[in-house]
Amino acid sequence: MSDSAPQQIGVVAESATGETRVAATPATVRQIQALGYDVVVESGAGTASGFADDAYAEAGALIGEAWRADVVLKVNAPSHEEIGRLREGATLVGLISPGLSPDLLDDLARRPITVLAMDAVPRISRAQSLDVLSSMANIAGYRAVIEAAHVFGRFFTGQVTAAGKVPPAKVLVAGAGVAGLAAIGAANSLGAVVRATDPRPEVADQVRSLGGEFLAVEVAQESAGDGYARATSEAYDRRAAEIYREQAADVDVVITTALIPGRPAPRLLTEQDVASMRPGSVIVDMAAAQGGNVAGTVAGKAVVTDNGVTIIGYTDLAGRLPAQASQLYGTNLVNLLKLLTPERDGRVRLDFDDVVQRSVTVVRDGAKTWPPPPVQVSVAGPQAPAAPAAVARPEPKARLTAAGRLSLIGLGMIALFLVIAYSPAQLAENFTVFTLAVVIGYYVIGKVHHALHTPLMSVTNAISGIVVIGALLQIGHHPVTVTVLSFVAILLTSINIFGGFAVTRRMLSMFSKD
């Protein structure tokens, strides 16, 4: 193949048992072709995700042998036999887990190929569109709540029915990363009372913004410098264990998401904690693939303890939404290919001066390049407020004394008395109406809580206040028609004012949660 000819992208079928995802969808195939590449898809690669071969063909892809392509896109790490199917000089892209799979790296490095690990994307702003771990964690967190709700067997939301009152479920989410936040949002949208813990105090606002209650562990903890969670201190672990023990006995559902890259999952719930939970409670251990956060977790299975607590240790939560997961994973790959194809000419150009490309490359032309140089990431923790600069303060304005205020009030009363005493009767009456209208308008509008204000309500209440005052002054005058009309005006205007407040308050109560 000449250096100017476009390279071929191969999308292969997954061989891992139970894997439902595929590395490209018909939609992402079109995006890859827009970069100048030819695309070949292995027959049946997208069947488990709901994408037939005909859909790929309609998108412009060839259906055939994909392992001999110049660039092979895959979800899971290849087996030893699959590594041998790659052509020399090929580029393999997939989830390699280089920190946990040194033997796999050795096997890959024995071939003259280049390997890019999508799970080694650095946590920096410009690499967010490539971050497969975040994409899959978002789906897994949502799915964890769905699995828990299915097993729980009761409402998540509280209800009051003719048959009785149903309290809302209480959900504890351990870890407020991407997966944890997705779980918090999903559980809250189902009506549950959600609580969350995390060693990073800066995520408290994110938890609250999704409707959760943040349970702070009041122990100093160093912030992570690379965007990933770090191992916690012994003091933190002791205090957190107390919180988990208290919450386990109170909540109905626990979802654990704590993972530390390259290390076994930390243990959060002990056997005693699980034993203290009520029968019918549910635990979803999202760290089951790395040993689990909960004592008794079995990776890939759901088990029921002696006291009736179900512990779900599924390791394929993202794959349980295969179409959505494949679309997001495929989009992450498209964004990587955009970075690798600056000329949009269908040819990969790997640039080690780019920190993102250097970080994801674990093997280059048969030589191991893992681990990469550390990436400097600034994760700002809480900053102490800077001392305010000295600012020249203006001289305070002279204020009236109590005697001065009383004098002004007295002068105003004398002036009002003189105006009423020496002015024509019609002017005195109009002046009285004006004064009362101002007072009513002030108390009807100025003293109302700001949350109840709308432009329309402010105007109608002002008009209604004036109408009420005018009608009160006219009621009792001859002929009788004036009195009747005045009464009708007072009645209708009062309904408008009080009814408007009642409707507005009821609308606001729809957005408040008890």
Side-chain angles (χ1 to χ4, degrees):
M1 181 180 291
S2 65
D3 292 340
S4 60
Q7 292 180 321
Q8 190 178 65
I9 300 284
V11 181
V12 299
E14 298 300 318
S15 59
T17 303
E19 181 57 73
T20 59
R21 294 169 294 179
V22 64
T25 67
T28 61
V29 162
R30 295 186 180 92
Q31 294 177 285
I32 294 173
Q33 291 173 328
L35 297 175
Y37 294 100
D38 296 327
V39 181
V40 57
V41 179
E42 186 176 358
S43 179
T47 302
S49 299
F51 304 113
D53 290 346
D54 291 343
Y56 287 105
E58 291 177 5
L62 299 175
I63 306 299
E65 175 57 49
W67 282 100
R68 304 300 295 174
D70 301 290
V71 181
V72 175
L73 304 183
K74 201 175 185 306
V75 178
N76 296 301
S79 64
H80 180 75
E81 186 273 333
E82 288 173 334
I83 295 175
R85 298 176 65 181
L86 294 166
R87 61 182 291 273
E88 293 188 1
T91 299
L92 173 67
V93 186
L95 299 173
I96 307 300
S97 300
L100 300 174
S101 309
D103 293 339
L104 174 62
L105 279 185
D106 292 338
D107 289 343
L108 292 169
R110 294 189 184 100
R111 294 292 315 281
I113 60 176
T114 297
V115 181
L116 307 182
M118 291 301 294
D119 43 3
V121 173
R123 289 284 174 92
I124 58 178
S125 298
R126 59 182 292 260
Q128 288 181 352
S129 61
L130 286 66
D131 193 349
V132 170
L133 294 181
S134 293
S135 298
M136 297 301 102
N138 184 33
I139 296 175
Y142 172 85
R143 183 68 190 195
V145 175
I146 301 301
E147 295 290 342
H150 173 68
V151 175
F152 184 53
R154 301 203 304 270
F155 286 134
F156 261 39
T157 184
Q159 292 192 3
V160 178
T161 69
K165 182 178 181 181
V166 179
K170 299 176 184 178
V171 178
L172 173 67
V173 179
V178 176
L181 292 174
I184 292 168
N188 181 68
S189 66
L190 290 176
V193 175
V194 187
R195 304 162 186 167
T197 64
D198 195 277
R200 298 162 295 182
E202 58 268 19
V203 305
D205 289 339
Q206 300 177 49
V207 171
R208 297 187 185 101
S209 69
L210 291 171
E213 175 189 357
F214 185 72
L215 304 178
V217 179
E218 303 296 342
V219 175
Q221 184 71 19
E222 182 181 358
S223 297
D226 57 0
Y228 294 93
R230 286 184 176 178
T232 53
S233 64
E234 293 184 4
Y236 179 91
D237 291 341
R238 285 194 299 271
R239 177 62 187 124
E242 296 174 0
I243 292 178
Y244 291 131
R245 189 176 306 112
E246 296 167 358
Q247 293 299 315
D250 182 52
V251 300
D252 303 296
V253 177
V254 178
I255 299 175
T256 63
T257 69
L259 282 175
I260 302 172
R263 297 182 58 178
R267 183 57 51 88
L268 303 182
L269 294 183
T270 65
E271 293 180 354
Q272 292 76 13
D273 296 333
V274 176
S276 69
M277 298 182 71
R278 291 185 291 269
S281 299
V282 182
I283 300 173
V284 182
D285 191 345
M286 297 183 63
Q290 290 182 221
N293 298 137
V294 182
T297 297
V298 179
K301 296 183 179 180
V303 297
V304 181
T305 65
D306 294 337
N307 62 318
V309 177
T310 302
I311 304 177
I312 299 175
Y314 298 152
T315 57
D316 61 343
L317 287 171
R320 290 172 180 258
L321 294 172
Q324 185 71 73
S326 298
Q327 181 61 42
L328 292 182
Y329 182 75
T331 302
N332 292 139
L333 292 179
V334 169
N335 291 329
L336 175 65
L337 290 172
K338 289 179 180 179
L339 189 64
L340 299 175
T341 319
E343 302 298 330
R344 302 297 192 268
D345 57 354
R347 299 196 64 80
V348 170
R349 293 176 175 82
L350 194 58
D351 180 11
F352 263 31
D353 291 332
D354 183 344
V355 65
V356 177
Q357 298 182 46
R358 175 64 185 89
S359 296
V360 300
T361 306
V362 296
V363 175
R364 186 178 190 183
D365 298 329
K368 285 197 296 184
T369 58
W370 176 267
V375 179
Q376 297 297 325
V377 181
S378 176
V379 180
Q383 300 290 332
V391 179
R393 296 183 179 179
E395 291 293 330
K397 296 181 179 179
R399 295 185 178 181
L400 288 175
T401 62
R405 287 196 298 272
L406 291 175
S407 300
L408 287 178
I409 293 173
L411 292 175
M413 294 177 65
I414 294 173
L416 179 61
F417 173 77
L418 293 175
V419 168
I420 295 176
Y422 294 99
S423 61
Q426 185 62 43
L427 178 60
E429 184 176 346
N430 292 343
F431 185 78
T432 303
V433 172
F434 173 76
T435 303
L436 292 176
V438 170
V439 173
I440 293 294
Y442 173 76
Y443 281 99
V444 170
I445 300 175
K447 291 296 185 178
V448 175
H449 192 275
H450 297 293
L452 297 175
H453 271 298
T454 65
L456 177 61
M457 181 184 145
S458 298
V459 173
T460 56
N461 279 347
I463 296 174
S464 299
I466 296 174
V467 171
V468 166
I469 295 301
L472 286 173
L473 291 175
Q474 295 298 324
I475 197 168
H477 286 67
H478 295 288
V480 179
T481 306
V482 174
T483 300
V484 172
L485 292 176
S486 299
F487 174 78
V488 172
I490 294 172
L491 177 63
L492 296 179
T493 307
S494 299
I495 294 174
N496 179 56
I497 294 175
F498 295 107
F501 280 119
V503 171
T504 304
R505 188 168 294 278
R506 185 171 181 180
M507 291 175 61
L508 289 175
S509 66
M510 295 171 60
F511 298 94
S512 63
K513 184 175 181 181
D514 295 334

